Amino acid sequence: MVDPTGDVSLSTVESTLYNNVKALLKEMNSQSNSQKGMLRWSLQKKLESDPSCSISLIQLLVKELENKLQTVSEISKTGSCMHIIPVLHTLYYVVIQSGVMIPASLYQTVYECLMKLLILPSPCSAVVLSTLRSIKMEMTTPGSLYQRRVIAEQNVKNDHFTVQEKVFVLADPAVFSAPLEATVRAYLEASSFLRNTLTMEKNVVLHVLQRGLGVTCQSSTLAKALEALEDHVVEKYFQDVVLVVEESIKKGASGRANYLVKLQDTYRDILTTSGEEITTADHSSVCSTAMPFPEIIFVLWRYEEDLWNLLANFALCGCPHSSLDEEDKDKKNSLRCENNGIEKHLKESDFDDREQPPDRNPAPAFSRRKAFKNMKPADKLSLMREKIEAFPGSSPVLKEDRMRHTARVVVMGDDRVLGRLTRAYHSIRERESKRLILTKKLNLQLYYIPVTDMEPSLSSSDEDRLSLASLLGRVDPWYNCNINSLRTAISRLAGMHSDHSKTSQQNLFLLDTLCYYLRCGTQPVNLPLYSVKMTLSSSDESSVVEDVFVSNLEADIPEFRHLKEKEPFPRKKKSALEVFGTAISVTYTKQISSSKREVVKAEAPMTYSVVITSEPAAVTSGGGYLTVRFDCLNPGYNTAIHARNISIRTMEHRSLSVCLDKDSRRTYTDVQRIEICPCLDPGCSIRSRFSVSADRELPLSKYLDQVLSLPINTFTGVTP
């Protein structure tokens, strides 16, 4: 065992665990993505095969945290702070997975250590607080974290904890070839074949009794007893254990003694009913109860509406019928009429976006929808509450007390799939601002796994398409280590499907890593969205369209597109006949401080393209902004500015071709003017009909950042 004073005499197992923890921390600094994440996965598998080593691992992790505490001045530095994140998440995962009773003294040591770590700067303190709350719940009610997680993920029916979760993986057809789609779908949907409700109920009972009773619980005997019971009897004991756990959670520390007594009664009752006898040869055994994989719904994301349809179907159809009031039933019926069912969108497997030509001037993200009756004041405030809960570091108490179902949406692809998610997310917020359908019932969590269709050798092109993945990796090294490293592994899956020896291992690695991300990736990085208003050359009523983007906008002049392929402007005698582009009029707003802005008018001469990229506050100081680059064949004319709002208008009767988020499917042509500004959240601009003035906003509006952001979950997150 580890001596807390620092004098350690490590056994072989403890020495191996110690080396594994140190290797995890070193892996974050490695420049190579090859095999990253495998160390964490190997450690996870070691715990599943040998639960008894969890106590030693917890002691080592606490020792590592205490070593960091000894150098508080160094811990305040970002680099040192980031190395605490993997330790905290590993600690949480060990506690929730461990099948053995953790001594109260060790829990107390962990708790005191985490309390001291709360002095860390954001966002590390947010992760510490989340871990601290989980540890505190497990201290008073051993086994509660495991039970709640399994019930929610597996949607196991019971009368006492009714929260459900669904996992939707949306893959971009532009990236997923047919072989890659088939392979990844088979790997992820294999989780459905590994799920058995009766087995999960037995494991919950076994896990909770092992954690609560410790050495007084003969695990092997209990496991045999549960196997001998009839299905309906197992169901009864499962319901009893769930009730005992939920009652203990409500009572807190004061209910711990009564909780353990009830567990002991349940334990003896199970053995008596099954006819198993207590022996003295079984006190050291611990049965593994690894958490099962959740059900994963894999969708090739062909239509933007698919996300809304999946969420609405889960919110209104996936809930128990008893929880639906009359208003919910009306919404459910109206959704069926409006969407004509989700099957229409999800079963057209013979259609492939990759084989279709890009849609010029696609449907705008902002569109007029059916009128809705006025929302209730409480519903209006619900959207404000959503905004508050979206901030990293916000108290998770609000989220858990509301007992909503959770929809975990994982998108796979490059920057283009995040652009599509941006449009869908804005559309959802816009719909909810008119009539609440999802907000009161669903807690929406967004995740991103980068996947590219580019060859590994084309590294520059690869990085260009994965700019947001690189950004998330810079903000969160643990995300970079475990999730960014998946892009190479996933891209190679299509060529590995015939190698069955590798397929099985890769299958489990991909599933385990995804589950780890879903369970521990709780801190969002908020990527600001930008609204773009485009005035087209046509003179009809639809000459103005609006859309949103999150990472990139490129505008070029088709007449001069061929200039991109030419060599840079040669250092020769200038000729008046040479053309390097066209003049455009530019007006932009530059933020020069937190309280002042100055408006600058400028003209960018001889420009053939404009590239606008978002620089989120997560990687900048003083707030986010846009970087605008004006390209010309003559390097002397190339310029770049930083702006918050910008308006660009063509001159000389020319027009622009505008592409959003590097997605050719979102290309607009014949554009004469573009106006870009931060996208306001529709949920924060709701006017109250009870206000004295029609222009008076709800009270909370002025205290919130009203810019709409796309919250992508990571392990560390970023606090504004």
Side-chain angles (χ1 to χ4, degrees), residues 128-138 395-397 400:
V128 174
L129 181 60
S130 177
T131 308
L132 184 63
R133 293 184 68 256
S134 298
I135 294 296
K136 186 175 181 181
M137 179 184 290
E138 196 67 15
S395 175
V397 176
E400 292 189 3

Side-chain angles (χ1 to χ4, degrees), residues 419-437:
R420 175 171 286 194
L421 181 63
T422 295
R423 281 172 52 108
Y425 183 66
H426 179 274
S427 177
I428 290 172
R429 292 293 290 182
E430 192 175 38
R431 289 189 184 194
E432 293 294 285
S433 69
K434 297 173 182 176
R435 184 182 184 185
L436 284 189
I437 295 176

